[in-house]
Amino acid sequence: ISSLPKSDTIKGIFFITKARGWILTSSATSMGKEEKYLYRTDDGGETWDKIMQNTGSPNSSKDTSNSISNEGYLTGMSFIDTLHGFVTLQELGSSSLYTTDDGGSSWLAVPDFVDSTKMSTCSSLELGIPQFKGKSGDSGFMPLACTVGDKTKFNGYFTSDQGVTWQLKSFNLDWSEGL
């Protein structure tokens, strides 16, 4: 991956076919913020094109409109087909979900995706990487970790319509320590 800037940290790699894939990278800018870049390949990784960036700089003419926020830290990325994808961010003790329907060129935040009122006892909430199964990618799962002190409890979001809607389900598991 020699065509990517050496200062960037790779946060996610996802291939939907042998030829089409994405690499999500970031570089730290300040506390709680990251510059974010998304690259796409259509030749199995021989070449990569930058299709999205957000440096957070008000003077940057290269930043993409409707990009993933520069606030927060990237935690995961997945796609269900060549157009529809998901990115999760950790922001100030909570998590956000972003979606794309154009192959990653533009992104929209899902408003109030994590309902913090249902998780009010958690000091930190973190979404995992969305995972889909089956050829159509209809069914999916996304873990949600609730942390209080050194204890963590896991729940999950489930979808049966390719991530259009998600239902939070409790796993009724005991708290785990040291995760």
Side-chain angles (χ1 to χ4, degrees):
I1 312 176
S2 60
S3 61
L4 301 180
K6 303 242 184 285
S7 61
D8 286 3
T9 301
I10 294 175
K11 296 292 190 145
I13 299 175
F14 195 91
F15 276 81
I16 197 75
T17 67
K18 288 181 181 180
R20 169 69 65 98
W22 297 265
I23 292 181
L24 185 59
T25 70
S26 70
S27 58
T29 57
S30 62
M31 185 68 127
K33 296 184 179 190
E34 291 179 320
E35 292 181 359
K36 296 176 178 76
Y37 306 92
L38 184 66
Y39 301 85
R40 182 176 59 220
T41 183
D42 287 309
D43 59 14
E46 288 192 34
T47 60
W48 294 91
D49 296 314
K50 187 188 302 178
I51 60 169
M52 192 273 323
Q53 83 172 36
N54 188 350
T55 63
S57 172
N59 301 322
S60 177
S61 61
K62 295 182 179 180
D63 280 1
T64 311
S65 62
N66 296 321
S67 59
I68 300 165
S69 173
N70 74 313
E71 294 184 10
Y73 301 104
L74 295 164
T75 57
M77 171 186 66
S78 66
F79 281 77
I80 56 172
D81 58 33
T82 59
L83 296 175
H84 300 91
F86 304 86
V87 166
T88 54
L89 292 179
Q90 182 69 20
E91 305 178 72
L92 303 171
S94 191
S95 288
S96 299
L97 179 66
Y98 283 76
T99 63
T100 183
D101 62 5
D102 63 5
S105 297
S106 63
W107 294 84
L108 293 173
V110 177
D112 302 317
F113 182 75
V114 176
D115 185 353
S116 57
T117 59
K118 291 182 179 177
M119 304 291 210
S120 60
T121 60
C122 306
S123 55
S124 176
L125 292 165
E126 185 172 341
L127 285 171
I129 300 170
Q131 300 172 44
F132 293 85
K133 63 181 181 177
K135 286 195 178 249
S136 65
D138 287 341
S139 298
F141 162 75
M142 190 172 6
L144 176 66
C146 164
T147 302
V148 177
D150 66 345
K151 295 181 179 181
T152 303
K153 192 169 197 171
F154 290 94
N155 298 291
Y157 281 95
F158 291 84
T159 183
S160 58
D161 58 9
Q162 296 185 327
V164 175
T165 60
W166 296 86
Q167 297 292 319
L168 178 63
K169 303 286 183 179
S170 173
F171 291 160
N172 295 319
L173 298 173
D174 291 333
W175 289 88
S176 300
E177 291 188 49
L179 297 177

